Amino acid sequence: MLEYVWLIPLFPFIGFLINGLLGKRLGKSVVSVVGPSAIGLSFLTSILIFFELIQRPPGERLFEKVLFDWVVSGSFQTVIGYQIDPLSILMALVVTGVSFFIHIYSVGYMHDDPGYTRYFTYLNLFVFMMLNLVLANNFLLMFVGWEGVGLCSYLLIGFWYEKDSASNAGKKAFVVNRVGDFGFILGMFLLFTSLGQHGIWTLDFTEVFANVGKLDTATATAIALLLFVGACGKSAQIPLYVWLPDAMEGPTPVSSLIHAATMVTAGVYMVARCSILYNMAPIAMAVVAIVGCATAIFTASIGFCQYDIKKILAYSTISQLGYMFLAVGVGAYAAGIFHLMTHAFFKGLLFLGAGSVMHALSGELDIRKMGALRKKIPITFVTFFIATLAIAGIPGLSGFFSKDEILWMAFSSQRGHFLLWLVAAVAAGMTAFYMFRALFMAFFGESRVDHHVAHHIHESPKIMTIPLMVLAFLSIVGGYVGVPHVLGGANHIHEFLAPVVGNGPPVKAHASISLIQEAWAAGAGGEHSATLELLLMAVSVVIALIGIGIAYFLYLKNPALPKMLAQRWRGLYQLVSNKYYVDELYQVLFVNSLKNLGRGLWKGFDDLVIDGTVNGIAYLIGWLSGVMRKVQTGLVQNYAFSMVLGGLILVIYYIVRGFF
């Protein structure tokens, strides 16, 4: 089956062609089959390839399939080819698996939308581009997928383009991503030219990573930082995170697909794929870890005061992506990919659950207009509750295992630090708080639903609830492939990814807090290290439970208290609810300043210099033409006079010249 890796992206591309070219003629029923089936076949192919791959010894789990030459110029040659290894097949399974259930859900959610065919066309194209990104065997093809998912996100975010908010959100996502992509392509060019100085003119992963050791530390750092700029754009990290909350203007299944399971994880995948390069650049890794950690806590705080259920989930996504970057930044690449996988399950489920709530409430998004929904839409409630427990890091669910591994590596790894662990642990408690705040306000307490809507509340159809139940099951069991050794597990995902990304740096002690330092130093090997890991695990769970307890106290026991606190600390509340005015700051610093610069160049340079020069030349020629036109009068006597005058001038010229 490894030979047929090209089938994984081919099936969605065929679905895109059929729906795009023939969808309107074939009808909605055919589109409903073609769209999900194309992804289902990709998912099935990925599963078969995965089982064949794991039968190989760990050191032989690499296979490349070259389809054809793409660019051949002198000594440079690149191909259209796909690579199967533990990292790429895991990403393919996540992308195709979660996408498959989202496609099925979309059949019910988008059933009455007039753009139904166009929707599935875009969705299939998006999955095709994402699969090219994760399966590519070279930087250039990965960049095609990278740009392709950016284009498809623009089309899907602005799907309801009749609304100004949707079209503006699509443009914002596209422009902000172009900023990041500019850094990515510069990093790719710098990598290409730097290796070229050593006679290695290639962008194929195998050759690049085999020779990347020839680069000096400064060059490797510059390349890694430029590539990370691209990751900040795609994966919505500070300072390029502002597009993702606005992207909630797209259909809710789009939010689940793009902003939970696929596109926004591209940056994390890219850093993990380039782990050899990043290991050579400790400064770049520190930047990745710090940016990820800062993003995790900063955007978690914004979630405190949001009332749009999708935007709460959007800021949660940005925060969780920060966790993934924290992991890869401290060298725990496998932990970052592990959280990427579990996050795809529970965050995809949360978005689809939000869509089911909207379906029941005629499109309502404001959690202040919800309440007491748990008995009216029980399947949605139970699945949403499971996903909320998972993202909060409650033991036994998938999010607990992946989040705990990140926290442990942030504390104990060679590139980790106590402050990174502390900030990430606090951010985990904040996540538990605002997610349970949304859960309590939507499903518990008194009903605040508009009375016209209340009569029509109903559970979603099976075609929407079955994907919810499947993702809920994965949100529970998905983490058991990475049970840590300290809990008696084998951490299979860590071992599976080790040949590609390594096991991360060895653990070491930190002198951040004397008690912890003494506890670590007093140990005689693994026993005390295991004790400390269990202690930190318990601390993180307690912090999460505190966040849940505060949410329970504020929004169930004393629902009037949050409003009183908002009145008491009005300034702070306004600051957080307005997202720290970052969008307004960007509007002033970048958008308006660039518009003013453009207007100045238009009025000052284009109008005065360019147009002035062109218009001035035209005026001069017109004036000269007017003068010359007076000579051409059409009167014979004037021409005779000109001839006589000309002859007289010539005679005078020769006479005068004779004297000299």
Side-chain angles (χ1 to χ4, degrees), residues 89-153:
I89 194 61
L90 178 63
M91 291 297 298
L93 285 169
V94 171
V95 170
T96 57
V98 177
S99 297
F100 175 58
F101 294 111
I102 291 173
H103 274 69
I104 294 174
Y105 178 96
S106 296
V107 172
Y109 189 86
M110 299 293 291
H111 186 266
D112 297 323
D113 195 282
Y116 188 83
T117 299
R118 178 166 56 92
Y119 172 83
F120 276 99
T121 301
Y122 291 166
L123 220 58
N124 280 175
L125 179 62
F126 174 84
V127 176
F128 166 71
M129 289 297 183
M130 187 68 195
L131 289 171
N132 274 283
L133 192 160
V134 300
L135 292 174
N137 73 338
N138 62 81
F139 277 98
L140 211 54
L141 183 57
M142 181 172 74
F143 187 69
V144 170
W146 189 277
E147 290 296 288
V149 294
L151 169 64
C152 294
S153 70

Side-chain angles (χ1 to χ4, degrees), residues 298-313:
F298 178 74
T299 53
S301 68
I302 298 177
F304 281 10
C305 299
Q306 299 298 309
Y307 293 101
D308 183 315
I309 190 169
K310 287 177 66 176
K311 288 198 174 181
I312 294 171
L313 298 178

Side-chain angles (χ1 to χ4, degrees), residues 135-283:
L135 292 174
N137 73 338
N138 62 81
F139 277 98
L140 211 54
L141 183 57
M142 181 172 74
F143 187 69
V144 170
W146 189 277
E147 290 296 288
V149 294
L151 169 64
C152 294
S153 70
Y154 165 75
L155 296 173
L156 287 165
I157 292 166
F159 180 77
W160 289 314
Y161 56 84
E162 302 89 348
K163 297 193 301 180
D164 286 341
S165 57
S167 59
N168 290 337
K171 288 185 288 186
K172 184 175 182 179
F174 195 80
V175 171
V176 173
N177 272 275
R178 295 294 71 71
V179 175
D181 295 349
F182 182 65
F184 185 98
I185 199 169
L186 287 179
M188 190 167 61
F189 286 164
L190 181 57
L191 175 64
F192 178 68
T193 55
S194 299
L195 288 177
Q197 294 175 358
H198 299 280
I200 304 159
W201 298 100
T202 183
L203 285 171
D204 291 352
F205 290 145
T206 303
E207 294 184 53
V208 167
F209 296 141
N211 294 282
V212 75
K214 297 179 180 180
L215 301 177
D216 59 79
T217 302
T219 303
T221 300
I223 294 169
L225 288 174
L226 286 170
L227 293 176
F228 181 59
V229 171
C232 284
K234 274 290 177 290
S235 298
Q237 297 295 285
I238 292 174
L240 300 178
Y241 71 92
V242 292
W243 66 270
L244 197 145
D246 289 26
M248 297 301 106
E249 289 290 339
T252 303
V254 169
S255 302
S256 181
L257 177 64
I258 295 181
H259 308 123
T262 53
M263 173 181 158
V264 294
T265 61
V268 181
Y269 164 76
M270 185 272 295
V271 175
R273 172 61 69 193
C274 300
S275 58
I276 297 175
L277 175 65
Y278 278 87
N279 286 336
M280 295 177 57
I283 293 177

